């Protein structure tokens, strides 16, 4: 892009703008105040003719920077699409005429509003440069897969099938993980009637035979350094030697461990070998090899077996696992079938509180009943020895019999899955007390969790965790949203799941990993600003090394270099601008989004003097939720105050307090900040952005005191995209409150 | 004539719901060209008709906004709305799909200014709200509609009303002479993401859906709670518009039932648990919810959501499949009859409104997928080599919640990419 | 056996298996998922004395509560309305299982003594196979003059007869009750054939379901 | 040659002077109008009814019905068996289904039948009279014969259990079957909607445990009255009897004043087709249907 900048403004008169506004006046504003080189108005700017006019100016006049004064930036994006040109849009339709009454009284303030938006648009576009894309790319196309269970092997095979080389690292001496220890697995195809072969042997063979896949067994990740497209990973092998691999992106499929059944003495685990967990039963089944299953204590053929569901799970007390492992019901059904298929006369009883067999699992459940497996809704209290046998003592919830008992040769505890997710980087450094009181039974030796990825990231060696040690993700619309760009976790490390889901998950994660390395190569951002070519730059000469950016970045993109300056890893960055908001000396910026692009808009607004009785209120609105909500309010023709001026921001986290102090110093009477819900159930698309922004804003109070302004002049509100009915009212109430309070004394300085 | 540039390296995605959009966007953001075909006038699908998601109680439109932004920013996805795939010929790496395009009667000149809607008087059922209210016959499908372009209901096209609409449009956006057309699109791989439909509640006779106005389905309940919905977010019951404060939720309405859907629809338990929040949200003081269930299937990380609802005194759980519903003719209330199986307690409980947690039926069921595809006994698309390069995604492939549907769609995108990459290598 | 062991002996599938062998449609009991729709659908369920609804009976069978089940009055209260069958999400033939259980308890001779429906069923069947067709007059007389154990009881008969006087007179007036039925009335011609046929049927049935190896002995 | 011919299975209660002989009378007149030829299955026997279960057990019950099948097939080959009694129809249909589904049961049945010198070669269809009217004729055809529409008369169509569940009439709704209402309307009468249309009358409990069944009958009659019905109409003899003849007892017990006539659809049809009170078997009502008697007189 040539340094030669040429600015053009276009004002649309369609959709009633022509009737409601004085377009000529707007043109003058753009020329005189906006200092635009070319200014045109058009009856219907978004149609072919209008767009042609703009393209013609680009071609013949060499226009580089375009300001469109028409509808919302969310509308007509297909028409107003000029690649490699800076574009700003003044929202005259949804932002002005649709939210103002069509009356003579309103005409003046409406026009003022429109003129301000033109001023702001011009100011913004002038402060912009066209993003050139992150130059600091890397070209590695190899995927690193950590974990050699079905999830990891699936990721490896799918990546290879797509044409990408893979390095697969497995900490044990063999591939297959838990799945390789199964006798059979739950069926994943019609008919959903009987256990089927786990198919691990085939899968392992495929992996071993694949020239695209390099397998390291008995190996751990010693160090992961770099960023998507340019990771350098050290792999510590059995021999103690270190292998170094150039990696483009990472899939972490480190799976789960079984919940420790020793924490369940009440169920007799550890007291008698005839109480086993589900893995223990698989071992017995493999030993029996299709014949009758024998019990460990005396090798007697098992004639009666009881399955205790939710053992150490779904426990609200916090003593055991809070969650449900989602797979145990089907697994117990499968294991009960082991017995029934070998010998129909065996009594197999499953004791459950809620039987959870979603989808076609219902067929599997029915099939077990047909085979004579008995399902009893009850809550097991204890498992006690009874004359060589075991007695399962439970509360039969149907017959409401608190002293119900089943005598069984063997008892299987469905204990569930615990994610194997490495170091919890958010955990308080102080030694946390032993969980609950329950585990206290066995004196706890605190073993420091071993890191899985050993990332050299400033924010810690592993991916952040969500709840209960499961790795982080947005969890609903964007399950692959990760806080470590280019690193995707898959399988039971993310959520308890069975093999079918794990393999589906692995396939998805593989695509995201491939996408990440491809985008890194092109210098483009990953979700949610996918394709964004802008990236943060820092003026190091101004940096005070306060470290706020490196600490706050929700994606751990910023490290510190040897001179303790922030080191931006652009391809880890998600372009939310939190670093920019955090920086007290304002040295961080994006080409098309900076302290200046927003600051200039704030300053561009025309502030009437304090006797005008026309307050000005600045609204900084999250572009993902608050801004669309305002648009939809406008589409509904829900009116709101003409005193507000709205500036969309990438995220509340990108709001730099300077904007607020500048605004107040410049004579604004109030500032509304509209961001997404933060906290555990966060709705911020940058995960922690709105939370960090809020934390920062909580400190603005002192500044206000310093200026001896009322604290209410800055109003932080949580806004959801559905608030289009309530938002206008909240704005109007605030405007009224400001009028009540009186205008700011800082005008005209 | 709609023109679409597509080759054997193009991926055809059928269905513009969250699964289809995800598959299309993930493929496009990996550098592939995609044609996305949606049969309704706008994208978003069934999730866009939900008020909130479990377990975060966030709003589906929030994720939709992001996906639409991704779409607007991505030239690699070609979106066709009001378009239905009627046939797919060929084999992996070389498919030709016939796509029937129904006229919208509004062209890309439309600025969504709404002048046509102001001009038109005729009202038609609003499908976005499951027909719970009516809308102008010239309409924007919903506030988030993409493309953001109005639609003329075919019923008015050749009438005076149609002419009124045309006259009202300053931008020559209305074309009353548009006709149905069928185009053919080449594709190397097809992702089938046509989602699900609620099971026909009227078939569950003892519950009297259709006989009793105040028996509604869970999907309809979402519309009642949604500020964008027919009641502006107030839970007003259909019979008399009275605010429903005592609401019952009946699980397995159609699911887990040999007489109806044999499979478990997976989402209904969580949906009802979520919807008890709506009742409390609207009536913090005197809202009351009752859930009738066989097993509460709050699977894996959702369990604590269940535990929170259990702790809520305004929600009660009864382990029972309701036997039948009767009507209290004097109050308009509906009465659930049955037996609490935990200890055999009989009940006949009167409620303002009863919500059937309606089962999930794959949309491919009944529709004959124009390619011979392997289904499971419930009509979901099975993953099977016989399907060639036609990949089921989301709820067309299984009863899934949104999160799992998106995972499935992302996986399907990779499978499709593998096929077109092979084509590319061959052609290179 | 200790009390505990007796407890534990329950919840073993012994009684369930007995039911599967002996009871009409008994093999379906294991398919119940305890949703309770049958219990809620049963018309007499909402009246006193109906101690165990079907779904609970099925759970009791699985829990090995043999005596409680077979001695229960519940099965005898079935009105054969078939609501449970048409609503059961597992398509379990509940009505028939209830009939089957009643009949089995009756065969074992441990069904509740003096259970009026049990008595009426016996009376009805004998009445109808006697001549091949039901003799309504004899049926009702029998109903009034025999007690639940089938012994003649004049006093009770007259009492009940008086209770039913108006009904009887009503029917007589309407020519829907024929006093001469008492001397024969409707009958099939081939009564011999019917008798032989039923004798054979009973033989075969007891071959198919020999009580000896069933729980009766236990 | 009649338009339609069927092997007729009247059942014990529909014999002369039996508890539902008025049903028989009216069915005969109705069939005359519709030109239906019913030929009684020679020497037919009792179906065992539902209540048979207690004493009989499985095979004997099926064998009893099988005998009727065999007799029908030998003497009236190719004709569907038509029953007017719900219990007969249900019992027979059930036996047919079971025997067809189990080769064992079929073998045993044949072996037993042999004792009576009989054998099943072809399994006949088992139909209820209402089924025949709806399926083989259809409402339009039934309407064609109406001479005297039952104008202004309000009936509660009481379908009850056994013509409705588990088999029911094809295409009908277990919870709210419409065919009976449609017949009433086709005959020019008014069918009142009410919520006890398929409530059980207590069936066989009427004899052994009257108080239980009468509690249910009370609900049915009450609802019929509440919804403005003048008469109740039903397709089932046991329903008819139970609902009609115990009203006195119920009045005593619950101090109600029930006195509502309970008729068969065939009686309404006979009258609408212009038949006399006698042909309609109105003299067979324990609670006289005065309004209909007058109507027939006109």
């Amino acid at each position: 892009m040539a340094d030669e900048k040429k600015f053009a403004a276009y004002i649309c008169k369609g959709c009633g703008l022509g009737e409601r506004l004085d377009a000529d006046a707007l043109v003058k504003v753009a020329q005189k105040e906006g200092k635009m080189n070319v200014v045109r108005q058009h009856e219907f700017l978004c149609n072919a003719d209008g767009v042609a006019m703009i393209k013609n100016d680009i071609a013949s006049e060499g226009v580089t920077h375009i300001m469109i004064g028409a509808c919302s930036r969310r509308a007509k994006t297909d028409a107003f699409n000029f690649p490699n040109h800076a574009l700003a849009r003044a929202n005259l339709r949804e932002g002005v005429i649709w939210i103002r009454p069509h009356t003579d009284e309103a005409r003046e303030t409406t026009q003022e509003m429109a003129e301000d938006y033109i001023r702001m648009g011009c100011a913004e576009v002038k402060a912009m440069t066209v993003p050139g894309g992150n130059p600091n790319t890397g070209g590695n196309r190899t995927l690193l897969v950590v974990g050699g269970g079905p999830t990891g092997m699936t990721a490896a095979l799918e990546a290879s099938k797509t044409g990408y080389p893979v390095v697969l690292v497995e900490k044990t001496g063999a591939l297959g993980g838990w799945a390789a220890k199964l006798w059979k697995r739950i069926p994943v195809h019609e008919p959903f009637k009987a256990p089927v072969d786990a198919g691990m042997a085939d899968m392992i063979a495929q992996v071993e035979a694949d020239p695209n896949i390099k397998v390291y067994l008995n190996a751990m990740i010693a160090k992961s350094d770099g960023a998507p497209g340019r990771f350098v990973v050290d792999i510590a092998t059995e021999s103690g030697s270190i292998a170094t691999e150039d990696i483009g992106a990472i899939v972490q499929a480190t799976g789960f461990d079984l919940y420790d059944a020793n924490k369940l003495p009440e169920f007799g685990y550890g007291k008698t070998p005839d109480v086993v967990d589900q893995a223990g039963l698989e071992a017995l089944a493999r030993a029996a090899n299709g014949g009758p299953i024998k019990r460990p204590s005396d090798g007697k053929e098992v004639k009666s077996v009881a399955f205790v569901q939710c053992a150490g799970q779904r426990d609200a007390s916090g003593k055991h696992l809070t969650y449900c492992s989602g797979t145990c019901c089907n697994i117990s059904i499968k294991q009960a079938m082991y017995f029934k298929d070998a010998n129909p006369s065996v009594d197999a009883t499953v004791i459950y509180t809620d039987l959870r067999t979603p989808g076609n699992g219902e067929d599997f459940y029915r099939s077990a009943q047909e085979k004579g497996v008995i399902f009893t809704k009850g809550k097991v209290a204890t498992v006690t020895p009874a004359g060589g046998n075991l007695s399962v003592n439970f509360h039969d919830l149907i017959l409401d019999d608190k002293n119900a008992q089943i005598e069984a040769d063997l008892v299987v505890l469905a204990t569930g899955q615990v994610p194997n997710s490495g170091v919890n980087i958010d955990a308080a450094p102080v030694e946390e007390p032993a969980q609950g009181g329950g585990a206290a039974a066995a004196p706890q030796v605190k073993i420091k969790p071993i890191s899985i990825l050993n990332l050299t990231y400033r924010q810690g060696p592993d991916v952040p965790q969500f709840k209960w040690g499961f790795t982080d993700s947005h969890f609903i619309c964007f399950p692959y949203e990760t806080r470590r760009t280019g690193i995707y976790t898959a399988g039971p490390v993310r959520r308890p799941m069975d093999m079918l889901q794990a393999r589906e998950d692995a396939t998805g994660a593989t695509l995201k990993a491939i996408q990440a390395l491809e985008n890194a190569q092109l210098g483009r951002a990953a979700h949610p600003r996918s394709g964004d070519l802008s990236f943060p730059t820092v003026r190091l000469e101004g940096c005070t090394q306060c470290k706020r950016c490196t600490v706050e970045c929700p994606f751990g993109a910023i490290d510190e270099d040897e001179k303790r300056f922030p080191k931006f890893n652009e391809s880890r960055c998600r372009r939310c601008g939190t670093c920019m908001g955090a920086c007290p000396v304002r040295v961080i910026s994006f080409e098309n989004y900076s302290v200046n692009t927003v600051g200039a808009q704030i300053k561009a607004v025309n502030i009437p003097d304090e006797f005008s009785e026309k307050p000005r209120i600045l609204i900084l609105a999250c572009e993902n939720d608050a801004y669309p909500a305002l648009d939809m309010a406008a589409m509904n023709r829900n009116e709101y105050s003409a005193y507000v001026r709205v500036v969309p921001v990438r995220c509340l986290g990108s709001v730099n307090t300077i904007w607020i102090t500048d605004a107040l110093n410049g004579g604004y009477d109030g500032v509304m900040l509209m961001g997404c819900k933060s906290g555990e159930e966060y709705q911020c698309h940058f995960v922690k952005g709105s939370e960090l922004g809020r934390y920062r804003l909580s400190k603005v109070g002192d500044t206000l005191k310093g200026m001896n302004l009322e604290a209410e002049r800055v109003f932080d509100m949580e806004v959801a995209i559905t608030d289009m009915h309530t938002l206008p009212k909240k704005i109007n109430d605030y405007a009224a409150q400001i009028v009540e309070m009186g205008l700011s004394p800082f005008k005209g300085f | 004539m709609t023109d679409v540039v597509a080759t054997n390296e193009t991926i055809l995605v059928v269905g513009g719901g969250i699964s289809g959009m995800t598959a299309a966007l993930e493929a496009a953001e990996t550098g592939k060209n995609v044609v996305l075909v949606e049969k309704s006038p706008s994208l978003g699908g069934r999730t866009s008709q939900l008020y909130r998601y479990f377990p975060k109680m966030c709003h589906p439109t929030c994720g939709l906004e992001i996906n639409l932004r991704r779409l607007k920013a991505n030239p690699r996805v070609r979106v066709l709305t009001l378009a239905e795939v009627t046939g797919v010929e060929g084999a992996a790496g070389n498919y030709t799909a016939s796509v029937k395009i129904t006229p919208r009667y509004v062209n890309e000149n439309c600025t969504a200014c709404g002048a046509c809607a102001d001009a038109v008087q005729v009202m038609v059922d609003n499908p976005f709200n499951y027909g719970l209210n009516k809308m102008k016959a010239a309409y924007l499908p919903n506030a988030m509609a993409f493309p953001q372009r109005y639609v003329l209901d075919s019923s008015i096209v050749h009438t005076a009303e149609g002419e009124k609409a045309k006259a009202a449009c300053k931008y020559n956006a209305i074309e009353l002479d548009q006709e149905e057309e069928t185009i053919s699109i080449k594709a190397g791989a097809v992702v089938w993401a046509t989602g699900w439909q609620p099971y026909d509640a009227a078939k569950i006779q003892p519950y009297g859906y259709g006989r009793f106005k105040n028996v509604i389905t869970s999907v309809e309940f979402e519309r009642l709670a949604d500020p964008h919905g027919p009641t502006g977010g107030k839970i007003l019951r259909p019979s008399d518009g009275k605010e429903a404060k005592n609401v019952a939720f009946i699980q397995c309405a159609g699911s887990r039932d040999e007489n109806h859907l044999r499979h478990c629809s997976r989402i209904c338990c969580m949906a009802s648990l979520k919807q008890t929040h709506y009742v409390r949200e609207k009536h913090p003081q005197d809202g009351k919810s009752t859930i009738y269930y066989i097993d509460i299937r709050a699977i894996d990380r959702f369990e604590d959501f269940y535990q929170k609802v259990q702790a809520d005194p305004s929600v009660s759980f009864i382990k029972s499949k309701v036997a039948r519903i009767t009507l209290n003719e004097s109050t308009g209330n509906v009465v659930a009859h049955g037996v609490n199986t935990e200890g055999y307690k009989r009940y006949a409980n009167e409620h303002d409104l009863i919500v059937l947690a309606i089962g999930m039926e794959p949309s491919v069921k009944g529709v004959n997928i124009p390619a011979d595809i392997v289904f499971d006994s419930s009509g979901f698309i099975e993953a099977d080599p016989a399907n060639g390069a036609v990949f089921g995604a989301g709820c067309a492939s299984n009863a899934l919640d949104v999160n799992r549907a998106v995972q499935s769609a992302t996986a399907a995108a990779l499978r499709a990419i593998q096929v077109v990459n092979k084509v590319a290598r061959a052609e290179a | 056996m200790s009390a505990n062991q007796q407890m534990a002996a329950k919840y073993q599938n012994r009684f369930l298996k007995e039911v599967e062998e002996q009871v009409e449609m008994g093999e379906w009991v294991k398919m119940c998922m305890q949703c309770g729709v049958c219990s809620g659908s049963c018309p007499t369920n909402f009246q006193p004395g109906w101690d165990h609804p079907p779904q609970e009976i099925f759970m009791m069978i699985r829990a090995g509560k043999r005596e409680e089940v077979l001695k229960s009055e519940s099965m005898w209260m079935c009105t054969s309305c078939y609501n449970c069958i048409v609503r059961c999400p597992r398509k379990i033939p509940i009505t028939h299982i209830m009939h089957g259980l009643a009949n089995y308890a009756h065969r074992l001779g441990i069904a509740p003594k003096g259970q009026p429906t049990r008595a009426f069923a016996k009376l009805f069947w004998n009445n109808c196979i006697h001549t091949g067709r039901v003799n309504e007059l004899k049926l009702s007389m029998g109903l009034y003059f025999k007690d639940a154990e089938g012994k003649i009881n004049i006093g009770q008969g007259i009492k009940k007869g008086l209770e039913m006087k108006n009904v009887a007179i009503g029917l007589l007036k309407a020519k829907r009750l024929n006093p001469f039925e008492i001397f024969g009335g409707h009958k099939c011609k081939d009564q011999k054939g019917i008798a032989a046929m039923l004798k054979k049927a009973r033989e075969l049935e007891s071959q198919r379901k020999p009580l000896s190896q069933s729980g009766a002995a236990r | 040659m009649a338009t339609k011919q069927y092997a007729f299975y009247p059942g014990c209660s529909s014999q002369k002077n039996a508890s539902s002989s008025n049903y028989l009378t009216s069915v005969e007149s109705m069939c005359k109008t519709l030109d239906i030829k019913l030929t009684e299955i020679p020497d037919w026997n009792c179906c065992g009814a539902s209540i048979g279960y207690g004493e009989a057990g499985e095979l004997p019950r099926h064998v009893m019905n099988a005998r009727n099948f065999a007799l029908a097939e030998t003497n009236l080959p190719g004709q569907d068996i038509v029953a007017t009694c719900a219990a007969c129809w249900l019992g027979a249909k059930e036996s047919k289904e079971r025997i067809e589904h189990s080769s064992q049961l079929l073998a045993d049945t044949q072996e037993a039948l042999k004792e009576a010198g009989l054998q099943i070669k072809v399994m006949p269809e088992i139909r209820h009279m209402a089924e025949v009217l709806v399926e083989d004729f259809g409402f339009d055809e039934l309407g064609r014969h109406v001479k005297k529409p039952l104008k202004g008369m309000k009936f509660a169509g009481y379908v009850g259990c056994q013509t409705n569940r588990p088999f029911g009439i094809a295409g009908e709704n277990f919870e709210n079957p419409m065919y009976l209402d449609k017949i009433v309307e086709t005959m020019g009468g008014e069918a009142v909607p009410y919520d006890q249309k398929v409530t059980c009358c207590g069936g066989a409990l009427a004899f052994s445990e009257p108080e239980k069944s009468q509690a249910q009958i009370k609900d049915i009659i009450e609802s019929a009255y509440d919804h403005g019905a003048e008469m109740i109409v039903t397709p089932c003899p046991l329903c008819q009897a139970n609902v009609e003849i115990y009203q006195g007892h119920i009045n005593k017990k619950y101090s109600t004043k029930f006195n509502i006539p309970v008729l068969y659809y065939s009686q309404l049809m006979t009258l609408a087709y212009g038949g006399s009170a006698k042909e309609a078997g109105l003299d067979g009502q324990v609670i006289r249907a005065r309004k209909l008697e007058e109507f027939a007189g006109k």
Side-chain angles (χ1 to χ4, degrees), chain B residues 320-324 336-340 345-348, chain C residues 36 39-40 46:
Chain B
S320 166
K321 186 174 177 69
V322 171
R324 66 188 238 276
H337 299 267
V339 158
N340 180 346
K345 300 175 206 71
R346 304 153 183 168
Y347 62 78
Chain C
S39 311
F46 291 90

Side-chain angles (χ1 to χ4, degrees), chain D residues 254-272:
Chain D
Y254 298 93
S255 55
T256 46
K257 295 192 173 47
F258 295 157
N259 189 34
I260 190 167
V262 184
L263 298 112
Y264 295 100
Y265 61 93
S266 47
Q267 297 180 285
L268 304 195
M269 291 176 70
T270 305
L271 293 171

Side-chain angles (χ1 to χ4, degrees), chain A residues 142-351:
Chain A
T142 303
L143 248 69
L144 170 67
V145 176
V146 186
T151 313
M153 289 196 289
T154 304
L157 290 166
E158 294 296 330
S160 161
K161 216 169 148 195
T162 320
Y164 293 78
V166 177
V167 169
L168 176 60
V169 176
E170 162 60 36
K171 70 168 186 278
T172 72
L175 294 174
W178 282 113
K181 302 190 176 73
L182 300 180
W183 164 238
K184 293 235 164 77
R185 67 179 283 190
I186 296 148
V188 298
H189 283 286
E190 289 285 348
F192 298 86
K193 296 245 178 282
V196 297
D197 181 79
M200 280 303 106
D202 302 359
M203 207 172 177
I204 293 166
Q206 277 183 56
V207 170
E208 284 166 345
D210 192 322
N212 256 342
I213 305 174
K214 187 175 183 187
V215 180
Y216 290 88
L217 296 177
N218 297 307
M220 306 274 277
I221 308 295
K223 179 155 146 282
S224 310
D225 187 48
R230 51 178 188 82
F231 284 113
V232 178
V233 177
D234 291 353
I235 299 160
T237 63
E238 202 173 12
S239 64
S241 67
I242 295 280
T244 301
E245 296 278 0
D246 292 335
I247 297 298
I250 301 172
V251 173
Q252 179 183 334
T254 43
F256 66 95
D257 292 321
L258 296 167
Y259 184 69
D260 180 4
N262 288 305
K263 294 181 182 167
L264 300 163
E266 64 271 38
F267 293 158
Y269 191 89
K271 293 189 188 147
T272 149
D274 295 337
V275 176
V276 298
D277 61 11
Q278 290 182 319
L281 195 276
E282 292 294 334
L284 294 178
R286 287 174 75 85
N289 191 26
I293 293 171
K294 309 229 166 44
R295 70 178 184 184
S297 61
D298 55 7
K300 167 180 174 293
E301 180 181 338
V302 175
K303 281 287 196 305
S304 59
V305 57
F307 294 83
V308 178
Q309 296 310 104
C310 308
Q313 302 186 64
R314 300 181 59 194
D315 174 17
S317 76
K319 181 175 165 192
H320 299 298
L321 302 179
T322 315
Y323 54 88
C324 151
S325 291
T327 60
C328 324
C329 284
N330 274 322
I331 292 172
S332 292
I333 288 169
K334 176 193 72 172
Q335 295 184 334
M337 285 184 182
Y338 291 168
F339 290 93
K340 283 293 187 182
D341 291 346
N343 173 5
S345 74
V346 171
D347 283 358
T349 309
V350 177
I351 307 172

Side-chain angles (χ1 to χ4, degrees), chain B residues 60-83:
Chain B
T61 39
C62 164
L64 179 60
E65 172 72 11
I66 291 279
N67 280 331
L68 291 176
R69 275 236 327 269
R70 292 165 75 187
L71 204 60
K72 291 171 187 171
N74 201 315
R76 291 186 175 279
V77 189
R78 172 77 155 96
V79 176
L80 298 177
T81 48
L82 288 165

Side-chain angles (χ1 to χ4, degrees), chain A residues 347 369-370 375 396 405, chain C residues 11 13 30 32 62 90:
Chain A
D347 283 358
Q369 289 183 299
E370 277 157 17
F375 293 83
D396 182 320
Q405 282 181 317
Chain C
Y11 286 97
N13 302 355
K30 59 179 184 282
C32 172
R62 295 180 190 176
R90 287 294 182 81

Side-chain angles (χ1 to χ4, degrees), chain B residues 79-134:
Chain B
V79 176
L80 298 177
T81 48
L82 288 165
E84 239 173 311
V85 172
T86 54
V88 177
E89 261 104 53
N94 180 21
Y95 287 109
T96 309
S98 347
V99 179
K100 186 185 86 191
I101 300 178
T102 328
R104 169 188 289 264
Y105 304 106
V106 177
N107 64 28
E108 44 290 321
N109 278 354
C110 176
T111 65
C113 69
C116 51
D118 296 341
V120 165
Q121 294 312 316
V122 175
M123 306 289 279
V124 294
D125 276 349
N126 181 348
F128 189 75
N129 290 336
Y130 297 99
L132 289 168
N133 70 336
K134 296 201 174 287

